[in-house]
Amino acid sequence: MTDIPPKYNPKEVEDRLYSFWESQSFFSAKPNPSKEPFCIVIPPPNITGILHMGHALNNTIQDILIRFKREKGFETLWVPGTDHAGIATQNMVEKKIAERGLKRQDLGREAFLEEVWKWRQNYGNTIINQLKRLGSSCDWERIRFTMDEGLSNAVLEAFVRLYNKGLIYKGNYIINWCPRCQTALSDEEAPYQEVEGKLYYILYPFKEVKSEKLKVKGGKQKRQGVIVATTRPETMLGDVAVAVHPKDRRYKKLIGSKVILPLMEREIEIIADTIVDPNFGTGAVKVTPAHDPYDFEISKRHNLKALKIMGPDGSMNENAGPYKGLDRFKAREEIIRDLEERNLLLKTEKHIHSAGHCYRCHTIIEPYLSEQWFVRMKPLAKPAIEVVKKGNIKFHPARWTKVYLNWMENIKDWCISRQIWWGHRLPVYYCRKCTKQANGLKAQGSRLKGRGENEKGVIISKICPEKCQGCNSTDIYQDEDVLDTWFSSWLWPFSVFGWPKSTADLDYFHPTSVLVTAPEIIFFWVARMIMAGLEFTGKIPFKDVYIHGTVRDLTGAKMSKSLGNIIDPIDIIEEFGADALRFSMISITATGQDVFLSREKFELGRNFANKVWNASRFVLMNLKQSKEQRAKSKELGLSLADKWILSRLHRTINAVTRSLDNYRFNEAANTIYEFFWHEFCDWYLELTKPEIGLEEKQCILFTILENSLKLL
RNA sequence: GGGCGAUUAGCUCAGUUGGCUAGAGCGUUGCGCUUACAUCGCAAAGGUCACAGGUUCGACCCCUGUAUCGCCCACCA
């Protein structure tokens, strides 16, 4: 803004411009039983986060909805907050103390957590402040955090209830393990990505074949052993069998015979299992129960023991013989070299396959056998499928319904324990005496727990029990693990209102009205909230789910720090203004479509904001009357132009309302843009200039301006 | 392997109940500093709406198939 005319008093105009914002009491909605409320809970961004364009889009949409409903006279509430982001935050703080040469183990659990809370104190509000800068009209008095006392209480309550219903169990299974973060992850936290790897063909010689005599040439190989194909040769150290399809002619006769596991020189059996696809590789699969989920299944069917060859950090352990201590990828190299030396590596071919990656640090995850806690999901999914099928919860655009249902119908149990320190610690306690006994029995092979049965010496309780109910011992300790962050997020729509306590807020604002989020969050959060809502409150948590597109750069890549293609919303706010940012985003984002951003695209909003500013300035600088006087001069003769612009205004109001009712935000934005710029400014304002001194003209100008700003 | 989305002006994209001479922003060309705005105004050029069939009085929009690009999911040893 340069060259402001001298007669124009910027302060005065600004005061006028914003006066009607202030005249409305937006915030701190209170339960008002006589009115139907409109309520949104913000998808809690994580406390390590900084505002990115996805947030900007998401919050702008919510802000539009909430302001729209306010304008329509609803009692509105928009609850903001953050989640504690267990793994991400812990990584952040670990990095910070590493600068002092410390590991979290050096500090110990308690001192480390103090560091985390300190970190949160200093940095945890960054994103909240950024949301404020964006202009989100949340109820900032009500800001919530998943580690707050009330919300933590809800987490423990939920765990105990599910456990008592037999919906939480502990078990030894293959889970996704991040060797860098050294914790278990849920399936959703380990998204599959394509990796260019290799498929190694390895000969497992028959028992009778002396390995020193091996001469591998041409067709002779088959007579000397079985060839298996693998992408992860290092796991062969933990092989306990070779599996073939029972009907595979090539191998039928071999079932039951033995081969020698190379390098380890162990005897393993050839077994038959229908899970094996005869058309892949050689049709023979090495079976590594401790390091592959499907091999684990096979091992259960054939009663094979699982042999773990890797430690939690992804390095080889004492079962790996000479490879002990090597990192998994280093071990792979050495094993390949050793196999080559022995003429056992027959072929290597390029192979593109998918591997899970840690969603926090992008390390390739390791399928890893370990004892974890799980939520049994099928029973929770059933009612959550029904409410969507019945239309009690609607997705916008509707196509996401199918995605949701498909996932829900194939849902797997949810691994909820994490081997980190920052988070809600499991409300699980053990009596040292009883568990010792139980472990003794386990070692003798007796089966101790069934589905939902209490393991001996295990106490599930929100508070630490004073003594063991079994043996009265007071030697009690708590499980070391914490819960998946999403185990607190899935309670969000009612935990923010005080659940499990029954509160007036909960009664009035829950279920909420609409949930606005990105597609990748459907599984993480939306589906789980629906399940939790039905399970714990008996109600759906929201009626509408609006799924907006993903923000991408011009090449279509998702914006991410690692790609370096981020456009920082704060930069845009500083250069163009928050209104320009928000208006641009909305007007270029078609319903549910991904949005491809570049810096230049924000010029659209900047230019429009500038137009609005100048038009407002022009109207207000010519205004002579007070608001009260203007109200008095209502009944005036209207010219054709006056009637025209007023009719266009009302048409615009109707069109914008209709668009917003149908979640068609870009349409609404473009409607008001078109009206304000090309009808109001280009025509009416110009037409009025000669008569600007007339009271009735000023009156109409002000009316149009005020209503346009309200629409905007 | 399954599911989904996209394909419209030089560029980026809108276009929901099938009825237009198919629209916008940016860019381009010409003119314009008329006391809100050059982050502007006026005017103009620019499209066989991916391709091939079909339904219909009428299709950018509905149906079938093809091609290209992208995304998500899946037990790719």
Side-chain angles (χ1 to χ4, degrees):
Chain A
M1 206 61 47
T2 51
D3 299 328
I4 293 159
K7 64 177 175 179
Y8 155 68
N9 177 347
K11 183 77 187 74
E12 189 192 330
V13 170
E14 199 168 319
D15 286 350
R16 285 179 176 178
L17 255 176
Y18 287 101
S19 66
F20 63 83
W21 290 138
E22 288 159 14
S23 69
Q24 299 186 40
S25 54
F26 284 166
F27 306 121
S28 293
K30 300 270 182 331
N32 175 357
S34 64
K35 277 186 175 171
E36 179 198 352
F38 180 85
C39 176
I40 307 181
V41 293
I42 204 166
N46 91 57
I47 51 168
T48 68
I50 50 166
L51 195 74
H52 56 65
M53 282 298 175
H55 292 126
L57 175 62
N58 179 262
N59 283 278
T60 299
I61 290 170
Q62 295 182 81
D63 200 38
I64 289 168
L65 287 171
I66 207 94
R67 288 180 191 267
F68 175 54
K69 293 290 177 173
R70 263 185 218 128
E71 208 57 67
K72 282 179 121 186
F74 284 80
E75 188 89 42
T76 59
L77 174 61
W78 186 14
V79 181
T82 48
D83 74 36
H84 62 281
I87 299 170
T89 310
Q90 174 158 322
N91 286 349
M92 200 79 103
V93 177
E94 279 182 319
K95 212 178 278 173
K96 204 181 151 209
I97 62 171
E99 289 165 12
R100 289 184 272 152
L102 293 170
K103 287 184 178 168
R104 74 177 206 255
Q105 288 80 0
D106 300 330
L107 293 175
R109 189 163 190 147
E110 211 167 305
F112 178 75
L113 288 179
E114 260 175 49
E115 288 290 322
V116 182
W117 280 107
K118 242 190 272 170
W119 184 92
R120 193 239 168 189
Q121 191 83 26
N122 292 335
Y123 305 103
N125 265 335
T126 306
I127 190 134
I128 291 293
N129 293 330
Q130 291 180 320
L131 287 174
K132 288 181 184 172
R133 278 196 73 184
L134 186 67
S136 303
S137 61
C138 295
D139 193 336
W140 298 112
E141 309 280 298
R142 281 176 177 268
I143 187 158
R144 294 287 184 273
F145 178 50
T146 46
M147 292 284 278
D148 283 347
E149 204 185 331
L151 278 77
S152 298
N153 182 41
V155 167
L156 302 185
E157 177 79 20
F159 187 98
V160 172
R161 285 198 194 183
L162 289 177
Y163 184 84
N164 289 338
K165 280 183 81 171
L167 293 176
I168 283 184
Y169 63 94
K170 185 184 191 179
N172 218 10
Y173 293 97
I174 299 260
I175 42 79
N176 301 298
W177 182 268
C178 175
R180 204 217 65 85
C181 301
Q182 298 208 20
T183 178
L185 298 168
S186 67
D187 294 342
E188 292 67 41
E189 289 169 322
Y192 275 55
Q193 281 160 22
E194 281 201 341
V195 200
E196 198 178 299
K198 283 176 181 155
L199 195 55
Y200 302 92
Y201 290 78
I202 304 167
L203 183 74
Y204 285 21
F206 294 131
K207 198 179 154 190
E208 304 76 32
V209 178
K210 295 261 161 55
S211 54
E212 60 270 21
K213 283 193 181 170
L214 271 175
K215 287 220 175 84
V216 180
K217 258 181 205 159
K220 282 191 181 168
Q221 302 152 0
K222 270 188 198 157
R223 269 173 276 147
Q224 295 177 322
V226 172
I227 305 159
V228 301
T230 180
T231 53
R232 293 189 300 151
E234 68 280 9
T235 63
M236 68 183 284
L237 307 178
D239 284 4
V240 297
V242 170
V244 296
H245 194 276
K247 285 184 180 160
D248 193 331
R249 279 194 204 155
R250 294 170 291 180
Y251 301 111
K252 226 170 174 177
K253 315 188 275 287
L254 298 176
I255 295 163
S257 60
K258 302 258 167 87
V259 291
I260 302 290
L261 177 63
L263 308 178
M264 301 305 281
E265 308 302 331
R266 249 187 5 245
E267 249 178 51
I268 54 176
E269 195 180 324
I270 299 172
I271 58 171
D273 197 292
T274 50
I275 202 174
V276 178
D277 174 4
N279 297 319
F280 189 91
T282 62
V285 189
K286 55 192 272 315
V287 180
T288 323
H291 298 279
D292 185 280
Y294 309 102
D295 293 2
F296 184 70
E297 275 178 32
I298 295 175
S299 77
K300 277 187 152 179
R301 283 196 286 271
H302 296 268
N303 231 348
L304 301 165
K305 70 171 188 343
L307 182 66
K308 250 169 125 163
I309 50 135
M310 232 180 263
D313 62 349
S315 71
M316 299 291 136
N317 69 11
E318 59 281 359
N319 292 326
Y323 306 99
K324 183 187 168 187
L326 293 178
D327 174 75
R328 51 186 173 151
F329 297 120
K330 183 73 188 152
R332 177 180 299 177
E333 284 172 28
E334 303 223 341
I335 284 168
I336 290 306
R337 204 193 54 216
D338 292 347
L339 287 171
E340 273 176 337
E341 265 176 24
R342 290 170 171 73
N343 271 332
L344 292 169
L345 183 67
L346 305 180
K347 192 165 63 162
T348 306
E349 54 188 37
K350 263 196 186 166
H351 181 65
I352 294 167
H353 65 287
S354 299
H357 288 68
C358 172
Y359 85 140
R360 287 306 183 202
C361 72
H362 311 293
T363 302
I364 295 185
I365 64 109
E366 199 59 38
Y368 193 66
L369 181 64
S370 66
E371 191 152 73
Q372 304 289 345
W373 291 82
F374 297 86
V375 178
R376 219 180 284 288
M377 296 306 272
K378 281 247 150 61
L380 295 177
K382 209 178 159 225
I385 289 169
E386 273 163 29
V387 291
V388 169
K389 277 191 174 164
K390 276 192 283 186
N392 298 344
I393 297 178
K394 287 200 183 76
F395 281 84
H396 306 270
R399 64 185 143 92
W400 294 108
T401 312
K402 216 166 140 185
V403 176
Y404 168 87
L405 289 175
N406 185 49
W407 188 75
M408 290 293 268
E409 277 156 7
N410 297 294
I411 199 163
K412 294 198 199 113
D413 286 357
W414 175 16
C415 175
I416 51 169
S417 46
R418 299 288 176 273
Q419 287 65 51
I420 56 173
W421 286 348
W422 173 240
H424 302 101
R425 206 155 158 185
L426 271 67
V428 175
Y429 300 86
Y430 303 95
C431 164
R432 210 175 294 275
K433 213 170 135 192
C434 293
T435 47
K436 229 180 229 168
Q437 262 181 19
N439 283 335
L441 287 171
K442 220 193 254 174
Q444 290 162 31
S446 67
R447 195 174 157 276
L448 278 164
K449 48 175 185 177
R451 301 200 141 195
E453 262 173 60
N454 262 21
E455 196 176 331
K456 193 162 193 263
V458 177
I459 307 144
I460 309 298
S461 166
K462 285 169 77 174
I463 49 163
C464 181
E466 282 177 18
K467 59 183 179 183
C468 172
Q469 288 184 321
C471 69
N472 280 335
S473 161
T474 54
D475 190 3
I476 283 171
Y477 65 99
Q478 187 174 6
D479 199 299
E480 295 290 322
D481 289 354
V482 302
L483 287 159
D484 182 0
T485 302
W486 298 98
F487 194 90
S488 43
S489 307
W490 77 330
L491 310 173
W492 189 256
F494 43 93
S495 64
V496 295
F497 296 125
W499 185 88
K501 285 188 209 134
S502 110
T503 65
D505 282 348
L506 185 62
D507 196 42
Y508 182 64
F509 292 114
H510 183 82
T512 67
S513 309
V514 53
L515 182 91
V516 178
T517 196
E520 63 265 28
I521 306 300
I522 294 176
F523 308 141
F524 269 124
W525 197 46
V526 179
R528 287 174 181 159
M529 276 192 291
I530 296 174
M531 291 187 272
L534 293 168
E535 172 65 21
F536 298 117
T537 71
K539 291 178 186 168
I540 52 171
F542 33 73
K543 295 160 203 134
D544 283 334
V545 180
Y546 178 78
I547 304 288
H548 60 247
T550 305
V551 177
R552 301 177 184 282
D553 68 12
L554 289 181
T555 69
K558 209 179 271 188
M559 284 200 179
S560 75
K561 247 181 277 173
S562 47
L563 286 174
N565 59 355
I566 298 234
I567 298 175
D568 185 347
I570 298 299
D571 287 350
I572 299 296
I573 289 174
E574 267 158 20
E575 189 177 342
F576 300 110
D579 290 326
L581 166 71
R582 302 202 295 173
F583 190 86
S584 301
M585 277 238 121
I586 288 304
S587 81
I588 64 179
T589 308
T591 312
Q593 243 16 71
D594 286 355
V595 51
F596 301 86
L597 281 184
S598 66
R599 197 173 196 80
E600 299 76 56
K601 290 196 173 179
F602 294 100
E603 286 171 10
L604 165 82
R606 177 201 59 184
N607 294 354
F608 185 54
N610 182 250
K611 193 73 180 175
V612 171
W613 174 265
N614 281 308
S616 305
R617 183 172 65 162
F618 176 72
V619 171
L620 295 176
M621 76 201 292
N622 283 296
L623 230 48
K624 295 197 186 72
Q625 307 175 81
S626 70
K627 205 169 181 174
E628 291 70 35
Q629 283 170 318
R630 278 200 304 281
K632 277 182 208 160
S633 56
K634 267 282 158 64
E635 299 303 319
L636 297 161
L638 297 175
S639 70
L640 186 60
D642 300 340
K643 288 179 186 167
W644 172 76
I645 196 66
L646 286 167
S647 83
R648 299 308 298 189
L649 171 69
H650 285 98
R651 194 185 281 212
T652 303
I653 292 171
N654 283 335
V656 168
T657 302
R658 202 170 342 108
S659 296
L660 291 183
D661 276 333
N662 292 303
Y663 298 105
R664 305 179 67 80
F665 303 104
N666 64 323
E667 197 178 85
N670 294 330
T671 301
I672 177 69
Y673 177 95
E674 177 67 23
F675 168 76
F676 194 85
W677 197 315
H678 298 303
E679 297 185 323
F680 180 50
C681 292
D682 288 355
W683 285 100
Y684 189 75
L685 226 50
E686 295 300 330
L687 233 42
T688 313
K689 275 177 182 171
E691 306 172 298
I692 194 75
L694 296 177
E695 288 176 3
E696 53 266 54
K697 295 297 170 192
Q698 293 172 19
C699 179
I700 293 167
L701 284 170
F702 187 84
T703 302
I704 304 286
L705 177 65
E706 184 178 41
N707 283 294
S708 297
L709 290 174
K710 280 184 180 177
L711 279 175
L712 283 165

